[in-house]
Amino acid sequence: MGVVTVEREHVSTVSAARLYKASVVDSINIFPKALPNLVKSAELIEGDGGPGSIKKFIVAEVSVKHKVDVVDAENYVYHYTVVEGSVTSEPLEKVSYEYKFVGSPDGGCIVKSTAIYNTKGDAQLSEEFLKVNKERAFTFTKAVEDYLLANPDYN
């Protein structure tokens, strides 16, 4: 099995606590509102949202299930593994994502994300595949950020 790791940072004007809450704790409610043309529905189908829970999202007509691995609300850390969906097709065996929301002195935060792609055998991932998936993750973060900026009463 091969492993490919892709890291990205996003600077946000939204606080780490607020962006973490919306992106992680309340993702089931926020994603369809922040990305109405992409996320058709979202639900918690197993667990209470903590480690071991399964979240299901219908994204562009495709069902994607995430298994929650780590929820650390104190340090604004979240990890999950895609257990079903288009991203788990050939040549991938597993894809995991790690997010850390780090507060910045100006009141905003830096979102540090890491995607870990585990390939089947010695399969290689194209630069285009990695670029598209990196941008897709950014789309979600940016959409939630924009939603929060447009809805200052959301806590």
Side-chain angles (χ1 to χ4, degrees), residues 6 23 41 43 65 67 74 90 103 109 125-126 130 148 150:
V6 177
S23 299
S41 68
E43 64 182 306
K65 291 182 182 173
K67 179 178 181 231
E74 191 172 303
E90 293 291 332
C109 71
L125 300 175
S126 72
L130 295 172
L148 293 174

Side-chain angles (χ1 to χ4, degrees), residues 26-89:
D26 203 22
S27 62
I28 299 299
N29 297 312
I30 296 295
F31 284 2
K33 292 176 185 175
L35 297 136
N37 296 326
L38 184 61
V39 179
K40 304 303 178 195
S41 68
E43 64 182 306
L44 183 64
I45 60 174
E46 187 176 311
D48 61 2
S53 297
I54 305 289
K55 295 178 180 181
K56 178 181 174 183
F57 301 91
I58 303 297
V59 180
E61 310 305 325
V62 175
S63 175
V64 179
K65 291 182 182 173
H66 298 176
K67 179 178 181 231
V68 177
D69 300 315
V70 174
V71 177
D72 181 350
E74 191 172 303
N75 294 302
Y76 308 125
V77 173
Y78 181 63
H79 299 187
Y80 68 89
T81 301
V82 177
V83 294
E84 181 181 297
S86 59
V87 77
T88 58
S89 61

Side-chain angles (χ1 to χ4, degrees), residues 8-24:
R8 181 182 182 115
E9 287 190 1
H10 171 71
V11 177
S12 174
T13 58
V14 177
S15 74
R18 193 163 179 247
L19 193 53
Y20 177 87
K21 181 180 181 222
S23 299
V24 175

